[in-house]
Amino acid sequence: MASTDQVALAKVNYYMRHNYYRQVQTTVLECMKKYGSDPVLLFWKAVGMIMEDRIAEGMRELQTIREKRDVILCTAMALSYAHKQCSTVDREAVQELETKVKHERQTCGEKALYFAGQFLLHTGRHDKAREYVDRMLKMSPGNSEGLILRGWIDLTCGRDSFVKKSVKLFDEALAMSDSPKPVEALLGKAKYLEIRHKYTGALDITNQTVVAYPGFMPALIEKMHMQLALQDWEQTVETAQRALSQEGHCIEAVRTIVLYQLCQEGKYTEAAAQLGELIQLMDRFEPKNHKLYYEMAKCFCRVSGRQRLVLQQTVTLVERAQSLASLNAEYATERAYELLLQQQVKEAMKAYRMAMKLDETSVVALTGVIHCQLLEGQLEDAEQQLEFLREIQASVGLSSELLYLLALLSHKKGNSGDDVVQLLNETIETHFKSLKGLPLGPKYFEKMNPDFLLQIVRDYLYYAPSEALRPGQPPSDVLSRCAGILDPLTRGAPGILEGVYCLARVKFLSGDIEGAHVTVQHCLDHDATYSDAHLLLSQVYFHQENYVLAGQSLEVALSYNFEVRNNPLYHLMKARIHKQTGELAEASHTLSTALNIPGIKKSVTGGRKPSKSKPPSLSDRVAVYLELADTHRLLNQAHEAAKVMQDAIDEFSGTSEEIRVTISNADLALDRGDVDHALVMLQSVTPDKTYYPQAVEKTAHIYLHYRKDRQRYAGCYQQLVEKRQDAHSYLLLGDAFMKIQEPNRAIEVYETALKKNPRDGALASKIGKALAKTHNYAKAVNYYEAALRAGGPSVLRYDLAELHLKLKQYEKASRVLKMALEQEHAGELSMMMDEVRFLILLAQVSQRSGDLTEAMNALSRARDIQVIVVSRTATEQPDAVPAQRSLAGSICRQLAEHSASMREFDTAIHLYKEALKQDDMDDKAMLALARLYLSLDNLDACQHQCLALLRTNKDNDAVTVMMADLMFRRNDYDSATFHFQQLLERKPDHYEGLARLIDLLYRAGRLKDSEKFLEKAETASPRSSQDAGFHYCKGLAERFMNKPTVALKHFNLARKDIRWGEQATVNMIEICLNPDNETIGGETFESVDMDGSSGAEKLDSEMAAVATAEKLLKELKPKPGSQQVAVLEAFHLLATKLKPNIERALSMFMEIVATERDHVPALYGMAAAYMVLKQTPRARNQLKRIAKMQWNSTDADKFEKSWLLLADIYIQSGKYDMATELLKRCLQHNKSCWKASEYMGYIMEKEQSYRDASMHYENAWCNGSQNNPAVGYKLAFNYLKAKRFVDAVDVCHQVLATHPAYPKIRREILEKARLHIRV
């Protein structure tokens, strides 16, 4: 039986609750295929007919089942209800049916009472329904169906006391039932949670329902509604698509998709087409549902953005409703409203009057008539009607629509701006009260009425300043109100582009130029033809001093809409651009043209018909006059400037903009040098005027800059505080004291301001920063801590942590930040953004304190939260998306930098790529990624990044250096040199580039070429001899030339510099520890002692150098995540050649390798220590590990030394082939590696290939700058063996010239070579 099919009945009940009466009938017909002509099904079919005004058909169906026991009671009730809906009511029949109901309810069963209760619920008679269900529950206590129905009755009755009880009934029913749980109980509990605004819980229960009842369409629809209430549009649309795939005619799903296209995407054409499909669906599946047509029209027209295509469809919807219920005044009123949205004022007036004929008591229709009268200029009639309406609504409170009309009337009558703004304020407060508690959805947008809000914003902006506020200046009340309206509007409906445009304009006028730029660009991305947005973009570019783009934006605006020529803002911006480019005559002409625009002058508007375009605002009118007067001043046309200023005084006397004219007139007086007259004019401004603070600021400016009177300067602001004791006035006074270096007095004033506005976090922050500026750090810390204990804003925790960080109190900073992070934020977006800021600062604190793991954890957590923030800002704050994506990229970049420092290169690459996904214009990430690829010898990937960077900035010095590096790696020396020449010709003193060039020339075997670049750098600046960068570059070149003593002198001159000091000190330490660049632990050349007599002297020299290195090491400060200092300390111990020190060094190297397994310098250090300790096999194992690693430029020097040491071991073992392979690898990466050439020469000498040996020794001799006598000796010896006697003699002379006390070469080679020459 159908009465036991809970799913089928739940479906019927759902559609009855939501007024889908034809869908009720369709559902019943589907069930009848299974159950046949079941009385319960026939009853609901008949009720569906009656509800959609097919009363006769419904009554005929009811007559066939009126004696069926289960439905006998509800059938009698339905017949009685149907009779009452007829135009002519049959009183006798109604009386008879009511008598029958009274009789049957005494004897009927629980099923009859149940269905009677359901019918009463759906017809809105909750108290009666509760009575019947209670009787049923007495008959059958614990009946789950009865409990669920009673729950629905309580839930929908509208009384909070009953609503609270409903959830207990649903829970009781669910507890009684096994799986699957009753679908009506699940839906009921979800609805209860929705009413209580617990949307996440409601969604969870709805998901359970969807899983338990897969084909149950109402569950999917409710899931869609809950996702929308949670503002998760993406999931909402996905669920709507899923509903349509199950049931192609799901009207609710199509409605949601149309709402998404209008509110989120702003795709009006697609939305209009989809609306057409929706109308067809309704015509087919709900053809008699006039209420549904009306509700659809009412919602969609209010989010249409007044787009013609969408309004055509909404008019069709409301006409359908009217055709079904022609006497309904609400529908006629809605038709009139939509005509008004299409600016058909006269037709709307007629339609409103027709609605009043249908219902003379319709306040909405009367309000519409008054609105039309105001728009038509019939002010007297409108005022009379408004007085009448005010009397009617006085007892219940004025509606937001009526308050708005009062504001509009006040504006039309020319009343003061303050009066109009006050009425608009009341309008907004009343309007937003009606939205309280509504979840996001069709009803929310209908009640919100974005079109109405945008009209109010337009009216507000008429009284807003036309110029952007200066940084730090608080926005006017008007702009704050506009922002308060537009914030929820643009978050809920970012697709309504006018709202986004207005928000951009408000941001611009409030001084948030960058925010305005992002928002207006978002607007133009959706609609490139939006001329007003192009005008605003021109203003933004102008403030960013990008005058070319500002001019281009004006031209684009004109190309899309020639009407902008009637907008004074177009001419103002054009004139300002002309002024900035020095075209003053053109600016004057443009502004003179603007004066003739209708509405600018009072005299011009008289006698003309009202323009269809909106009249220029008062502030724009003033701006034209003042800009023209200033242009004449710049043209030295003092007479014309004074004339225009006088016209402005006459034109705007008595208006709210009068003081603005006075301030500009004072500027003219200052230009004439009449300071006294300027002061007189400014001091005539009374405190009750809107622009009084600006007049005071101008007066203060004169005293400070013209009279040089600091006391009178501060006195101006003290006077302002006396007249206007608001927080902003105190703030200005505090800033003034800070400007004249009186921070203590500033702090006192800031504290007074904070008492007036205790919730102002920025002000509290200023006090703390002012205290810190006085270097009273202890007091600043105490202030922050006291303010936080008193419940101060979270920004103070951030400032306190920053102060602790500045004072190097890392533990305290960490504690403050962790306390801030422990606070719960319940998923609020702003709190999540704060949490990210705290985590980034915590990472900095941890890094400074040396806890790199904690820093990485904090940044990883920040990245995870920021991903959610970016996702949510896309729907909640679209204009903030670029900034949040940029922050996400920055976090990934910092993580990548940490990973790279820990030599986790693959992780670093992945993170850099992730950073670029978030912000593809992040030059820092692209540059760092390119450097990493270069260090890993991935030249193609590096080049790809470099080219991408050069596309955005052709003169990027860092990229130029990297491209040159690439060319060197590819042995394209000419191209590499060309890149460096370009850079160094442009900036000869670009020492970063010069240092890199010297390094690359050294590795390319062309170090001599560096001399000309060093000469250019020396002559480019007269201060080069004192420049640390130059000495560093010079020292680097000398070191590579194997001139350690000269190199040390130059490095020492750069040692104290902030930029170059650390690198210079490291080079000095490395030279001191190994001045002759010997292979530490190598045994091949160990036995060769050219001059035994000098051994003791050499040992003393080495020990002195080691002692110097120890002193220099103390100057280096370890960096978190870097092991460089630890490695150098270990090599210093190794250089002492004392066994305990060597063992300690080995232990240090092992500790580093334990934390970083592939740390090349530490592995090399271990191998060297093992060799010194004569543990060759262990050394070889470490060196083999290094030999298998991929070369990178960061560890290039240690790779080279490792290969040389391993080659030395192989030579000692007689494995010349393996040694040769390693030595070639050295020379591949560094063609100037004279030590590799020396080893190659040694191998050839051992193989008695003296010619080849001499060639390698010659390379070693030349690349070592002919400084090493041992290499010179070997070269001369092999020349002798190869019978190149003259060359042998030349080399001997070269050695003896620099090392005269080197007798062995004279005795063993020079004399023998001479003898052979003589022979």
Side-chain angles (χ1 to χ4, degrees), residues 114-167:
Y114 173 73
F115 289 119
Q118 277 194 336
F119 177 76
L120 290 166
L121 168 63
H122 293 311
T123 52
R125 297 166 67 188
H126 291 84
D127 290 338
K128 205 70 177 171
R130 190 179 293 108
E131 181 187 324
Y132 275 76
V133 176
D134 286 346
R135 184 174 293 182
M136 173 199 172
L137 289 170
K138 278 183 183 178
M139 293 171 64
S140 177
N143 185 306
S144 63
E145 292 177 2
L147 290 169
I148 293 168
L149 180 55
R150 174 62 195 272
W152 273 106
I153 293 166
D154 289 350
L155 185 66
T156 56
C157 70
R159 283 183 276 179
D160 194 57
S161 58
F162 281 109
V163 172
K164 288 178 181 176
K165 295 175 184 176
S166 63
V167 72

Side-chain angles (χ1 to χ4, degrees), residues 310-340:
V310 180
L311 285 174
Q312 283 176 354
Q313 299 289 15
T314 60
V315 167
T316 303
L317 282 164
V318 80
E319 284 175 348
R320 288 279 205 284
Q322 279 187 291
S323 67
L324 293 168
S326 56
L327 300 178
N328 191 309
E330 276 189 83
Y331 301 168
T333 305
E334 181 60 26
R335 175 83 173 87
Y337 178 75
E338 297 196 13
L339 288 170
L340 197 58

Side-chain angles (χ1 to χ4, degrees), residues 741-757:
Q741 305 298 316
E742 294 189 23
N744 291 322
R745 294 180 72 183
I747 291 163
E748 290 176 16
V749 174
Y750 285 144
E751 286 174 344
T752 306
L754 191 62
K755 286 175 185 175
K756 293 188 171 291
N757 191 5

Side-chain angles (χ1 to χ4, degrees), residues 1030-1159:
F1030 174 76
H1031 284 293
Y1032 176 81
C1033 294
K1034 191 77 174 169
L1036 197 64
E1038 297 294 350
R1039 183 185 178 188
F1040 289 153
M1041 288 177 187
N1042 206 22
K1043 298 177 181 178
T1045 307
V1046 182
L1048 280 170
K1049 288 179 182 177
H1050 284 291
F1051 283 135
N1052 192 49
L1053 291 170
R1055 184 163 59 95
K1056 298 297 182 181
D1057 185 71
I1058 295 172
R1059 167 67 183 84
W1060 298 99
E1062 184 181 342
Q1063 291 169 266
T1065 305
V1066 168
N1067 275 280
M1068 289 178 74
I1069 293 167
E1070 288 177 347
I1071 291 171
C1072 289
L1073 294 179
N1074 190 4
D1076 296 328
N1077 204 21
E1078 295 174 349
T1079 305
I1080 301 172
E1083 298 175 351
T1084 300
F1085 303 120
E1086 192 181 47
S1087 59
V1088 180
D1089 184 6
M1090 298 299 174
D1091 190 1
S1093 62
S1094 65
E1097 185 183 334
K1098 183 180 178 184
L1099 185 62
D1100 290 342
S1101 173
E1102 286 177 357
M1103 288 303 104
V1106 170
T1108 304
E1110 186 176 9
K1111 290 178 184 176
L1112 291 168
L1113 270 168
K1114 292 175 182 176
E1115 295 179 10
L1116 285 179
K1117 295 179 180 178
K1119 286 183 179 178
S1122 173
Q1123 303 287 356
Q1124 186 182 41
V1125 175
V1127 168
L1128 287 171
E1129 287 174 348
F1131 274 112
H1132 164 259
L1133 292 171
L1134 204 59
T1136 61
K1137 299 182 180 178
L1138 299 172
K1139 188 175 180 182
N1141 285 351
I1142 295 169
E1143 288 173 348
R1144 190 169 149 216
L1146 180 60
S1147 176
M1148 289 174 71
F1149 287 131
M1150 285 178 168
E1151 284 178 16
I1152 295 169
V1153 172
T1155 54
E1156 293 183 43
R1157 189 173 179 277
D1158 294 331
H1159 195 283

Side-chain angles (χ1 to χ4, degrees), residues 715-742:
C716 289
Y717 291 108
Q718 286 174 319
Q719 185 182 350
L720 177 64
V721 166
E722 288 171 10
K723 302 294 183 185
R724 293 191 175 190
Q725 296 189 358
D726 55 18
H728 177 55
S729 300
Y730 279 101
L731 190 61
L732 289 173
L733 177 58
D735 290 346
F737 280 132
M738 289 297 290
K739 195 166 188 176
I740 61 174
Q741 305 298 316
E742 294 189 23

Side-chain angles (χ1 to χ4, degrees), residues 704-815:
L704 186 63
H705 294 95
Y706 288 84
R707 295 283 177 84
K708 309 298 181 185
D709 189 339
R710 287 153 55 103
Q711 293 306 315
R712 295 292 293 274
Y713 166 74
C716 289
Y717 291 108
Q718 286 174 319
Q719 185 182 350
L720 177 64
V721 166
E722 288 171 10
K723 302 294 183 185
R724 293 191 175 190
Q725 296 189 358
D726 55 18
H728 177 55
S729 300
Y730 279 101
L731 190 61
L732 289 173
L733 177 58
D735 290 346
F737 280 132
M738 289 297 290
K739 195 166 188 176
I740 61 174
Q741 305 298 316
E742 294 189 23
N744 291 322
R745 294 180 72 183
I747 291 163
E748 290 176 16
V749 174
Y750 285 144
E751 286 174 344
T752 306
L754 191 62
K755 286 175 185 175
K756 293 188 171 291
N757 191 5
R759 295 182 178 276
D760 191 340
L763 190 55
S765 180
K766 272 196 171 190
I767 297 171
K769 287 175 180 176
L771 285 166
K773 193 169 277 189
T774 62
H775 302 290
N776 197 342
Y777 298 120
K779 191 174 179 181
V781 169
N782 290 337
Y783 164 75
Y784 280 128
E785 289 175 347
L788 286 167
R789 281 195 297 271
S794 62
V795 67
L796 296 183
R797 290 192 187 278
Y798 189 88
D799 290 346
L800 176 57
E802 266 193 327
L803 183 57
H804 281 312
L805 178 61
K806 184 179 178 180
L807 298 173
K808 298 183 180 179
Q809 297 171 348
Y810 303 126
E811 191 175 337
K812 289 182 179 179
S814 179
R815 194 185 312 126

Side-chain angles (χ1 to χ4, degrees), residues 917-1139:
K917 279 181 186 175
Q918 293 288 356
D919 183 5
D920 57 1
M921 300 303 289
D922 186 350
D923 289 355
K924 290 181 181 178
M926 292 172 80
L927 190 61
L929 180 57
R931 280 203 185 101
L932 184 55
Y933 279 136
L934 186 66
S935 71
L936 297 173
D937 218 24
N938 190 344
L939 304 185
D940 291 337
C942 176
Q943 185 174 16
H944 174 75
Q945 292 298 326
C946 288
L947 292 174
L949 277 163
L950 289 172
R951 278 196 290 272
T952 58
N953 182 5
K954 291 182 181 178
D955 296 328
N956 191 315
D957 295 342
V959 180
T960 304
V961 171
M962 212 172 305
M963 285 297 289
D965 204 335
L966 271 171
M967 298 301 110
F968 267 110
R969 298 281 179 87
R970 288 176 170 163
N971 298 321
D972 188 354
Y973 303 122
D974 293 334
S975 297
T977 309
F978 170 74
H979 279 293
F980 273 117
Q981 279 176 336
Q982 274 191 320
L983 174 62
L984 294 173
E985 281 172 12
R986 192 166 68 244
K987 295 179 182 176
D989 57 348
H990 192 290
Y991 296 122
E992 288 89 347
L994 183 57
R996 189 69 188 132
L997 173 61
I998 291 167
D999 183 67
L1000 293 172
L1001 286 170
Y1002 165 65
R1003 295 189 180 283
R1006 299 174 58 181
L1007 190 57
K1008 285 186 179 180
D1009 292 351
S1010 66
E1011 292 174 6
K1012 60 182 178 182
F1013 292 105
L1014 283 165
E1015 287 172 8
K1016 281 184 182 179
E1018 191 170 11
T1019 56
S1021 170
R1023 290 181 51 81
S1024 60
S1025 60
Q1026 300 171 8
D1027 200 320
F1030 174 76
H1031 284 293
Y1032 176 81
C1033 294
K1034 191 77 174 169
L1036 197 64
E1038 297 294 350
R1039 183 185 178 188
F1040 289 153
M1041 288 177 187
N1042 206 22
K1043 298 177 181 178
T1045 307
V1046 182
L1048 280 170
K1049 288 179 182 177
H1050 284 291
F1051 283 135
N1052 192 49
L1053 291 170
R1055 184 163 59 95
K1056 298 297 182 181
D1057 185 71
I1058 295 172
R1059 167 67 183 84
W1060 298 99
E1062 184 181 342
Q1063 291 169 266
T1065 305
V1066 168
N1067 275 280
M1068 289 178 74
I1069 293 167
E1070 288 177 347
I1071 291 171
C1072 289
L1073 294 179
N1074 190 4
D1076 296 328
N1077 204 21
E1078 295 174 349
T1079 305
I1080 301 172
E1083 298 175 351
T1084 300
F1085 303 120
E1086 192 181 47
S1087 59
V1088 180
D1089 184 6
M1090 298 299 174
D1091 190 1
S1093 62
S1094 65
E1097 185 183 334
K1098 183 180 178 184
L1099 185 62
D1100 290 342
S1101 173
E1102 286 177 357
M1103 288 303 104
V1106 170
T1108 304
E1110 186 176 9
K1111 290 178 184 176
L1112 291 168
L1113 270 168
K1114 292 175 182 176
E1115 295 179 10
L1116 285 179
K1117 295 179 180 178
K1119 286 183 179 178
S1122 173
Q1123 303 287 356
Q1124 186 182 41
V1125 175
V1127 168
L1128 287 171
E1129 287 174 348
F1131 274 112
H1132 164 259
L1133 292 171
L1134 204 59
T1136 61
K1137 299 182 180 178
L1138 299 172
K1139 188 175 180 182

